[in-house]
Amino acid sequence: MAVLALEIRLGSTIPSIGFCPCSSLKLCNQLPENHQYQVEAVVFDNTGPEWKHYDWSKITTIVVTRDHPSELLCHAHANGVRVVWKADVQLKILADLSQQSNWINQNVNLINDLFLDGVHLDIMGHVSHVHELLKFVAQVKDIFRQRIPGSQVSVSIPWTPVCPDGKCYDYASMAQSCDFLYVKAHDIRSDVRDECFAKANAPYDETLSGLSEYIRLGVDSKKLILGLLWYGYDYPCDHLSEPGRCKLKVFPFESVSCSSPVVEQVEYKQIMQMLPRSITGRYWDDNYKSPYFVYKDKDVYHEVWYDDPESLSLKSSIVKKLKLGGIGAWFGNSLNYSANPTAAMQTEDMWNALCPIRLKWRT
């Protein structure tokens, strides 16, 4: 299996692939601008062979985040699916026009050499150069469209608008400067600002309110993609009084009363292996509309909060409720694609939860 193992840094020389890795040259052609779906379904891939078993009928765009096999590109294009590169944007380049120019040129060359269909921008850190960011996103789209016609440009944004000192970023303008904004509706409870207890990673009400707030600020709902998670949090309890009351050790950080650096991120496939060995079985919290369970490791109780087909289906219904542009999953690799019948059913249910209203978004 050929693997495209490229890392881009400012000032580095980008190697050219120089040949089409697919059986047909047509599969190396970037998908045209008029190749659109009514609803976007964006899946992030974290490298590995799992992509071979994805439900490709439910995907419109794959975001590759690390080294990726060339066969993934060929298979995606054969299924009418775009493949875009996840590019991290360091804050320092926003204040330097020459670095911005270098960054854009290097990424355009890289993506063109790899026959990919665009770029997904992930802004690293809290942005203080708001106007520079808006200009940068618009410039990225303009240059990519000039050099790679039909290329897709998207941006990751937080689960809710960031409003330091009551001043929100101009997300409405940002949405107009790219194809869509991917709302990362996860890690909502990573820093606890109230009671120091284990809680759901992405509660339904917060997910809905965060998206609604973007729309209230003037963002076109069709430019918003609801990003869901396929992993959970494993919290070690400092004290467990009962299921759902897992008290955490207090680690104050800045304005956060309870930041727990000991929490572990666990993929859904691991969670499904842990659940049968739990001491409680699956519990459901109706306030957060999320499942959880408790297990014991040596003398320490752990509480695991996660999303499953039931909780994900509820959040997926927000796409229709708010008339969003689509839905996404982080990561496609997090499911169990083995031949085990139980695992196969669990995995199928997770894919179906992306679009519970109908069997697939694509028509």
Side-chain angles (χ1 to χ4, degrees), residues 339-351:
N340 178 280
T342 301
M345 184 177 298
Q346 292 168 347
T347 295
E348 182 180 2
D349 288 344
M350 289 290 281
W351 280 104

mmCIF file with all atom_site columns, all heavy atoms in Angstrom, residues 339-351:
data_model
loop_
_atom_site.group_PDB
_atom_site.id
_atom_site.type_symbol
_atom_site.label_atom_id
_atom_site.label_alt_id
_atom_site.label_comp_id
_atom_site.label_asym_id
_atom_site.label_entity_id
_atom_site.label_seq_id
_atom_site.pdbx_PDB_ins_code
_atom_site.Cartn_x
_atom_site.Cartn_y
_atom_site.Cartn_z
_atom_site.occupancy
_atom_site.B_iso_or_equiv
_atom_site.pdbx_formal_charge
_atom_site.auth_seq_id
_atom_site.auth_comp_id
_atom_site.auth_asym_id
_atom_site.auth_atom_id
_atom_site.pdbx_PDB_model_num
ATOM 1   N N   . ALA A 1 339 ? -15.040 -8.346  11.796 1.00 0.00 ? 339 ALA A N   1
ATOM 2   C CA  . ALA A 1 339 ? -16.111 -9.216  11.306 1.00 0.00 ? 339 ALA A CA  1
ATOM 3   C C   . ALA A 1 339 ? -17.029 -9.686  12.421 1.00 0.00 ? 339 ALA A C   1
ATOM 4   O O   . ALA A 1 339 ? -18.019 -10.380 12.162 1.00 0.00 ? 339 ALA A O   1
ATOM 5   C CB  . ALA A 1 339 ? -15.506 -10.427 10.581 1.00 0.00 ? 339 ALA A CB  1
ATOM 6   N N   . ASN A 1 340 ? -16.720 -9.331  13.650 1.00 0.00 ? 340 ASN A N   1
ATOM 7   C CA  . ASN A 1 340 ? -17.560 -9.735  14.777 1.00 0.00 ? 340 ASN A CA  1
ATOM 8   C C   . ASN A 1 340 ? -18.986 -9.208  14.577 1.00 0.00 ? 340 ASN A C   1
ATOM 9   O O   . ASN A 1 340 ? -19.172 -8.004  14.359 1.00 0.00 ? 340 ASN A O   1
ATOM 10  C CB  . ASN A 1 340 ? -16.976 -9.175  16.077 1.00 0.00 ? 340 ASN A CB  1
ATOM 11  C CG  . ASN A 1 340 ? -17.820 -9.525  17.290 1.00 0.00 ? 340 ASN A CG  1
ATOM 12  O OD1 . ASN A 1 340 ? -18.831 -8.891  17.550 1.00 0.00 ? 340 ASN A OD1 1
ATOM 13  N ND2 . ASN A 1 340 ? -17.388 -10.532 18.022 1.00 0.00 ? 340 ASN A ND2 1
ATOM 14  N N   . PRO A 1 341 ? -20.000 -10.070 14.638 1.00 0.00 ? 341 PRO A N   1
ATOM 15  C CA  . PRO A 1 341 ? -21.381 -9.637  14.343 1.00 0.00 ? 341 PRO A CA  1
ATOM 16  C C   . PRO A 1 341 ? -21.878 -8.512  15.249 1.00 0.00 ? 341 PRO A C   1
ATOM 17  O O   . PRO A 1 341 ? -22.551 -7.595  14.791 1.00 0.00 ? 341 PRO A O   1
ATOM 18  C CB  . PRO A 1 341 ? -22.198 -10.916 14.549 1.00 0.00 ? 341 PRO A CB  1
ATOM 19  C CG  . PRO A 1 341 ? -21.222 -12.031 14.363 1.00 0.00 ? 341 PRO A CG  1
ATOM 20  C CD  . PRO A 1 341 ? -19.921 -11.521 14.880 1.00 0.00 ? 341 PRO A CD  1
ATOM 21  N N   . THR A 1 342 ? -21.549 -8.592  16.534 1.00 0.00 ? 342 THR A N   1
ATOM 22  C CA  . THR A 1 342 ? -21.980 -7.540  17.467 1.00 0.00 ? 342 THR A CA  1
ATOM 23  C C   . THR A 1 342 ? -21.331 -6.211  17.123 1.00 0.00 ? 342 THR A C   1
ATOM 24  O O   . THR A 1 342 ? -21.989 -5.161  17.077 1.00 0.00 ? 342 THR A O   1
ATOM 25  C CB  . THR A 1 342 ? -21.636 -7.930  18.914 1.00 0.00 ? 342 THR A CB  1
ATOM 26  O OG1 . THR A 1 342 ? -22.290 -9.164  19.250 1.00 0.00 ? 342 THR A OG1 1
ATOM 27  C CG2 . THR A 1 342 ? -22.072 -6.843  19.884 1.00 0.00 ? 342 THR A CG2 1
ATOM 28  N N   . ALA A 1 343 ? -20.020 -6.256  16.858 1.00 0.00 ? 343 ALA A N   1
ATOM 29  C CA  . ALA A 1 343 ? -19.301 -5.033  16.490 1.00 0.00 ? 343 ALA A CA  1
ATOM 30  C C   . ALA A 1 343 ? -19.836 -4.464  15.183 1.00 0.00 ? 343 ALA A C   1
ATOM 31  O O   . ALA A 1 343 ? -19.978 -3.244  15.036 1.00 0.00 ? 343 ALA A O   1
ATOM 32  C CB  . ALA A 1 343 ? -17.813 -5.325  16.375 1.00 0.00 ? 343 ALA A CB  1
ATOM 33  N N   . ALA A 1 344 ? -20.126 -5.340  14.220 1.00 0.00 ? 344 ALA A N   1
ATOM 34  C CA  . ALA A 1 344 ? -20.641 -4.890  12.920 1.00 0.00 ? 344 ALA A CA  1
ATOM 35  C C   . ALA A 1 344 ? -21.978 -4.165  13.084 1.00 0.00 ? 344 ALA A C   1
ATOM 36  O O   . ALA A 1 344 ? -22.219 -3.134  12.439 1.00 0.00 ? 344 ALA A O   1
ATOM 37  C CB  . ALA A 1 344 ? -20.791 -6.077  11.978 1.00 0.00 ? 344 ALA A CB  1
ATOM 38  N N   . MET A 1 345 ? -22.827 -4.679  13.969 1.00 0.00 ? 345 MET A N   1
ATOM 39  C CA  . MET A 1 345 ? -24.123 -4.036  14.204 1.00 0.00 ? 345 MET A CA  1
ATOM 40  C C   . MET A 1 345 ? -23.945 -2.685  14.899 1.00 0.00 ? 345 MET A C   1
ATOM 41  O O   . MET A 1 345 ? -24.610 -1.695  14.544 1.00 0.00 ? 345 MET A O   1
ATOM 42  C CB  . MET A 1 345 ? -25.008 -4.946  15.065 1.00 0.00 ? 345 MET A CB  1
ATOM 43  C CG  . MET A 1 345 ? -26.414 -4.415  15.297 1.00 0.00 ? 345 MET A CG  1
ATOM 44  S SD  . MET A 1 345 ? -27.441 -5.570  16.253 1.00 0.00 ? 345 MET A SD  1
ATOM 45  C CE  . MET A 1 345 ? -27.463 -6.974  15.122 1.00 0.00 ? 345 MET A CE  1
ATOM 46  N N   . GLN A 1 346 ? -23.035 -2.632  15.876 1.00 0.00 ? 346 GLN A N   1
ATOM 47  C CA  . GLN A 1 346 ? -22.769 -1.375  16.570 1.00 0.00 ? 346 GLN A CA  1
ATOM 48  C C   . GLN A 1 346 ? -22.255 -0.315  15.606 1.00 0.00 ? 346 GLN A C   1
ATOM 49  O O   . GLN A 1 346 ? -22.667 0.857   15.667 1.00 0.00 ? 346 GLN A O   1
ATOM 50  C CB  . GLN A 1 346 ? -21.753 -1.607  17.688 1.00 0.00 ? 346 GLN A CB  1
ATOM 51  C CG  . GLN A 1 346 ? -22.274 -2.457  18.837 1.00 0.00 ? 346 GLN A CG  1
ATOM 52  C CD  . GLN A 1 346 ? -21.173 -2.903  19.782 1.00 0.00 ? 346 GLN A CD  1
ATOM 53  O OE1 . GLN A 1 346 ? -19.983 -2.783  19.468 1.00 0.00 ? 346 GLN A OE1 1
ATOM 54  N NE2 . GLN A 1 346 ? -21.557 -3.427  20.939 1.00 0.00 ? 346 GLN A NE2 1
ATOM 55  N N   . THR A 1 347 ? -21.359 -0.725  14.715 1.00 0.00 ? 347 THR A N   1
ATOM 56  C CA  . THR A 1 347 ? -20.783 0.206   13.749 1.00 0.00 ? 347 THR A CA  1
ATOM 57  C C   . THR A 1 347 ? -21.831 0.683   12.752 1.00 0.00 ? 347 THR A C   1
ATOM 58  O O   . THR A 1 347 ? -21.899 1.873   12.421 1.00 0.00 ? 347 THR A O   1
ATOM 59  C CB  . THR A 1 347 ? -19.601 -0.460  13.027 1.00 0.00 ? 347 THR A CB  1
ATOM 60  O OG1 . THR A 1 347 ? -18.557 -0.711  13.976 1.00 0.00 ? 347 THR A OG1 1
ATOM 61  C CG2 . THR A 1 347 ? -19.062 0.407   11.904 1.00 0.00 ? 347 THR A CG2 1
ATOM 62  N N   . GLU A 1 348 ? -22.649 -0.216  12.272 1.00 0.00 ? 348 GLU A N   1
ATOM 63  C CA  . GLU A 1 348 ? -23.713 0.165   11.332 1.00 0.00 ? 348 GLU A CA  1
ATOM 64  C C   . GLU A 1 348 ? -24.671 1.161   11.976 1.00 0.00 ? 348 GLU A C   1
ATOM 65  O O   . GLU A 1 348 ? -25.084 2.139   11.344 1.00 0.00 ? 348 GLU A O   1
ATOM 66  C CB  . GLU A 1 348 ? -24.477 -1.074  10.872 1.00 0.00 ? 348 GLU A CB  1
ATOM 67  C CG  . GLU A 1 348 ? -25.579 -0.767  9.861  1.00 0.00 ? 348 GLU A CG  1
ATOM 68  C CD  . GLU A 1 348 ? -26.340 -2.000  9.413  1.00 0.00 ? 348 GLU A CD  1
ATOM 69  O OE1 . GLU A 1 348 ? -26.033 -3.106  9.921  1.00 0.00 ? 348 GLU A OE1 1
ATOM 70  O OE2 . GLU A 1 348 ? -27.248 -1.860  8.575  1.00 0.00 ? 348 GLU A OE2 1
ATOM 71  N N   . ASP A 1 349 ? -25.000 0.939   13.251 1.00 0.00 ? 349 ASP A N   1
ATOM 72  C CA  . ASP A 1 349 ? -25.910 1.842   13.953 1.00 0.00 ? 349 ASP A CA  1
ATOM 73  C C   . ASP A 1 349 ? -25.304 3.242   14.101 1.00 0.00 ? 349 ASP A C   1
ATOM 74  O O   . ASP A 1 349 ? -26.028 4.244   14.042 1.00 0.00 ? 349 ASP A O   1
ATOM 75  C CB  . ASP A 1 349 ? -26.246 1.279   15.339 1.00 0.00 ? 349 ASP A CB  1
ATOM 76  C CG  . ASP A 1 349 ? -27.168 0.068   15.270 1.00 0.00 ? 349 ASP A CG  1
ATOM 77  O OD1 . ASP A 1 349 ? -27.785 -0.158  14.214 1.00 0.00 ? 349 ASP A OD1 1
ATOM 78  O OD2 . ASP A 1 349 ? -27.258 -0.655  16.289 1.00 0.00 ? 349 ASP A OD2 1
ATOM 79  N N   . MET A 1 350 ? -23.979 3.303   14.305 1.00 0.00 ? 350 MET A N   1
ATOM 80  C CA  . MET A 1 350 ? -23.329 4.612   14.427 1.00 0.00 ? 350 MET A CA  1
ATOM 81  C C   . MET A 1 350 ? -23.371 5.373   13.108 1.00 0.00 ? 350 MET A C   1
ATOM 82  O O   . MET A 1 350 ? -23.629 6.583   13.074 1.00 0.00 ? 350 MET A O   1
ATOM 83  C CB  . MET A 1 350 ? -21.894 4.428   14.911 1.00 0.00 ? 350 MET A CB  1
ATOM 84  C CG  . MET A 1 350 ? -21.781 4.004   16.364 1.00 0.00 ? 350 MET A CG  1
ATOM 85  S SD  . MET A 1 350 ? -22.252 5.319   17.529 1.00 0.00 ? 350 MET A SD  1
ATOM 86  C CE  . MET A 1 350 ? -20.752 6.310   17.514 1.00 0.00 ? 350 MET A CE  1
ATOM 87  N N   . TRP A 1 351 ? -23.111 4.687   12.005 1.00 0.00 ? 351 TRP A N   1
ATOM 88  C CA  . TRP A 1 351 ? -23.195 5.344   10.694 1.00 0.00 ? 351 TRP A CA  1
ATOM 89  C C   . TRP A 1 351 ? -24.624 5.803   10.419 1.00 0.00 ? 351 TRP A C   1
ATOM 90  O O   . TRP A 1 351 ? -24.858 6.905   9.921  1.00 0.00 ? 351 TRP A O   1
ATOM 91  C CB  . TRP A 1 351 ? -22.718 4.406   9.589  1.00 0.00 ? 351 TRP A CB  1
ATOM 92  C CG  . TRP A 1 351 ? -21.232 4.334   9.457  1.00 0.00 ? 351 TRP A CG  1
ATOM 93  C CD1 . TRP A 1 351 ? -20.403 3.327   9.880  1.00 0.00 ? 351 TRP A CD1 1
ATOM 94  C CD2 . TRP A 1 351 ? -20.374 5.321   8.863  1.00 0.00 ? 351 TRP A CD2 1
ATOM 95  N NE1 . TRP A 1 351 ? -19.090 3.625   9.591  1.00 0.00 ? 351 TRP A NE1 1
ATOM 96  C CE2 . TRP A 1 351 ? -19.040 4.840   8.967  1.00 0.00 ? 351 TRP A CE2 1
ATOM 97  C CE3 . TRP A 1 351 ? -20.597 6.552   8.253  1.00 0.00 ? 351 TRP A CE3 1
ATOM 98  C CZ2 . TRP A 1 351 ? -17.950 5.559   8.472  1.00 0.00 ? 351 TRP A CZ2 1
ATOM 99  C CZ3 . TRP A 1 351 ? -19.517 7.274   7.768  1.00 0.00 ? 351 TRP A CZ3 1
ATOM 100 C CH2 . TRP A 1 351 ? -18.206 6.778   7.887  1.00 0.00 ? 351 TRP A CH2 1
#
